[in-house]
């Protein structure tokens, strides 16, 4: 198949800009990411063998500097590749490989300014939207913990900050307040209960940023977008295979990675579940991830970081909720939506989870204390 995509992008013409061997047989939209436009490309090699690739159009509303972003992605994946080789792993399956353009660039920019990149497709892998059991989630925690450990000595000064203040919750809170005040689409009145829920928790927004400022929590190279579908599992062994979506690898806190995984993976419902009675915090999943994350990071977390894990979970969930709600109020300009009120539904699940965490706060802390 060849053809047009929205905004008249010719996927086949774009694909032609990359140094890919063979003939493009077909392409299709792929995955469930909220940010970039992702396509699966299938090529045929001269002897008839098929090879697949991921083509992505970068979201330039979200990422203002595609050049810097791609430098990060290329150097982080090359760094990981060397480390995986040294550890006897399979670098073609355990980290992403960026395919250069025919001119040797990290990405391709078309005449309209759209930016595209290509990765090798990691075959025989699966991507989960919901965990099937505790073991999967333990593996997920171990993979994200290990990812952080592998990047522990990465030269931080070489990393660009692709989205400034990405997990700066007080700054996210101010953006949220501005969205409520502007109320561009007149949507605020109907969601006053959700707005109030968010406003009532302002005091807590600086719990992590204050500790970072005071030097009580360390900055590390973190992934910053650790939801379950940013990890690929091996189809056969079900082992966590590869961490993907490296656009936000930046200096951050281990609590951001821990918290973002919990908000998505330890919920009994989907991120956009409309029936909130289905959305609860599963404490056994919380514990499985905690164990996995601590094992994966190999004892590198400080006592303070471990103590703050529940707060990481709560604040990342809250922050995601106010980001969804702000986007709803602004007319859904950031996160892709598939239906009306999609961002509102997403905000509601996050707030339900925050309420759940408040109820189960003592148990969450008891669990974490066991591993201190
Ligand atoms: P977004 O930033 O929009 O979330 P991602 O980089 O996470 O985009 O990619 C979207 C989806 O595409 C992933 O959740 C995964 O299912 C799939 N995907 C991305 N890269 C690869 C790859 N190299 N191999 C296999 N699947 C991939
Ligand atoms: C986005 O790219 P994706 O879909 O993996 C977002 C995350 C949010 C998440 C909510 C760059 O992640 O911060 O937590 O949606 N990524 C960016 O599902 O904003
Ligand atoms: Mg993603």
């Amino acid at each position: 198949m060849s053809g047009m995509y929205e905004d008249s992008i010719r996927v086949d013409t774009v694909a032609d800009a990359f140094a890919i061997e063979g003939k493009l047989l077909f392409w299709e939209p792929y995955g469930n990411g909220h940010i970039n436009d992702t396509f699966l490309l299938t090529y045929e090699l001269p002897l008839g063998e098929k090879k697949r690739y991921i083509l992505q159009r970068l979201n330039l509303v979200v990422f203002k500097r595609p050049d810097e972003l791609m430098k990060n992605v290329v150097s982080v994946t090359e760094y990981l590749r060397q480390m995986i080789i040294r550890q006897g792993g399979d670098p073609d399956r355990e980290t992403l490989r960026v395919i250069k353009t025919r001119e040797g660039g990290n990405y391709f920019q078309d005449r309209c300014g759209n930016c595209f990149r290509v990765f090798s497709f990691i075959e025989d892998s699966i991507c989960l939207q919901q965990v099937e059991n505790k073991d999967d989630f333990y593996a997920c925690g171990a993979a994200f913990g290990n990812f952080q450990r592998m990047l522990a000595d990465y030269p931080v000064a070489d990393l660009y900050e692709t989205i400034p203040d990405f997990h700066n919750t007080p700054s996210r809170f101010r953006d949220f307040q501005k969205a409520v005040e502007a109320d561009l689409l007149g949507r605020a009145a109907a969601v006053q209960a959700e707005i109030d829920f968010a406003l009532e928790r302002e005091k807590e927004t600086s719990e992590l940023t204050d500790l970072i400022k005071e030097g009580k929590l360390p900055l590390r190279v973190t992934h910053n977008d650790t939801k379950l579908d940013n990890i690929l599992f091996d189809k056969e062994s079900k082992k966590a295979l590869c961490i993907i979506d490296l656009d936000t690898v930046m200096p951050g806190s281990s609590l951001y990675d821990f918290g973002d995984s919990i908000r998505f993976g330890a919920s009994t419902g989907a991120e956009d579940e409309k029936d909130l009675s289905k959305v609860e915090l599963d404490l056994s999943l919380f514990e499985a991830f905690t164990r996995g994350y601590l094992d994966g990071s190999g004892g590198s977390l400080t006592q303070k970081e471990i103590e703050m894990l529940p707060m990481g979970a709560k604040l990342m969930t809250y922050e995601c909720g106010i980001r969804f709600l702000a986007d709803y109020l602004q007319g859904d300009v950031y996160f892709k939506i598939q239906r009306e009120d999609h961002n509102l539904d997403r905000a509601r699940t996050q707030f339900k989870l925050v309420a759940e965490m408040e109820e189960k706060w003592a148990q969450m802390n008891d669990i974490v204390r066991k591993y201190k």
Side-chain angles (χ1 to χ4, degrees), residues 33 225 227 229-230 245:
D225 187 2
K227 67 179 176 181
D229 62 9
N230 286 332
D245 204 344

Side-chain angles (χ1 to χ4, degrees), residues 136-169:
D136 286 353
F137 208 38
Y138 170 89
C140 188
F144 280 121
N146 184 47
F147 180 84
Q148 187 187 293
R149 178 163 58 165
M150 289 210 285
L151 292 175
D153 296 323
Y154 185 88
V156 182
D158 294 359
L159 276 178
Y160 294 99
E161 207 177 357
T162 53
I163 304 180
D165 291 322
F166 191 56
H167 284 309
N168 182 331
T169 314

Side-chain angles (χ1 to χ4, degrees), residues 258-259 262-263 266 280-288 290-291 294 306-317 352-372:
F258 177 83
I262 295 297
R263 73 150 195 95
E280 286 176 15
L281 175 78
D282 182 326
L283 283 171
S284 65
L285 288 177
F286 175 81
E287 176 153 12
T290 302
R291 271 196 302 111
L294 293 175
I306 299 175
E307 178 194 320
M308 295 303 285
L309 289 174
M311 187 51 81
K314 183 173 168 188
L315 270 193
M316 288 303 100
T317 311
K352 169 77 192 284
L353 281 173
V354 169
E356 276 276 300
M357 289 178 194
E358 287 172 352
E359 251 172 60
K360 297 176 178 166
W361 195 242
Q363 288 122 293
M364 287 168 77
N365 280 287
D366 286 346
I367 289 170
V368 160
R369 218 167 286 129
K370 281 202 264 180
Y371 299 98
K372 251 180 100 175

Side-chain angles (χ1 to χ4, degrees), residues 68-77 158-160 162 249:
E68 295 184 352
L69 179 147
M70 285 309 293
K71 273 190 195 159
N72 278 3
V73 173
V74 167
S75 27
V76 166
T77 50
D158 294 359
L159 276 178
Y160 294 99
T162 53
V249 173

Side-chain angles (χ1 to χ4, degrees), residues 1-6 8-18 24 26-29 39-41 43 55 116:
M1 178 175 58
S2 70
M4 315 276 274
Y5 184 61
E6 57 164 294
S8 305
I9 291 163
R10 290 211 58 112
V11 169
D12 43 3
T13 311
V14 170
D16 207 36
F18 289 86
L24 178 62
F26 41 82
W27 58 266
E28 61 199 291
F39 303 93
L40 176 61
L41 312 181
Y43 280 73
L55 169 76
F116 299 86

Side-chain angles (χ1 to χ4, degrees), residues 109-121:
Q109 185 156 27
D110 72 8
R111 270 181 290 173
C112 305
N114 293 300
C115 291
F116 299 86
R117 61 163 172 217
V118 170
F119 294 112
S120 302
F121 184 77

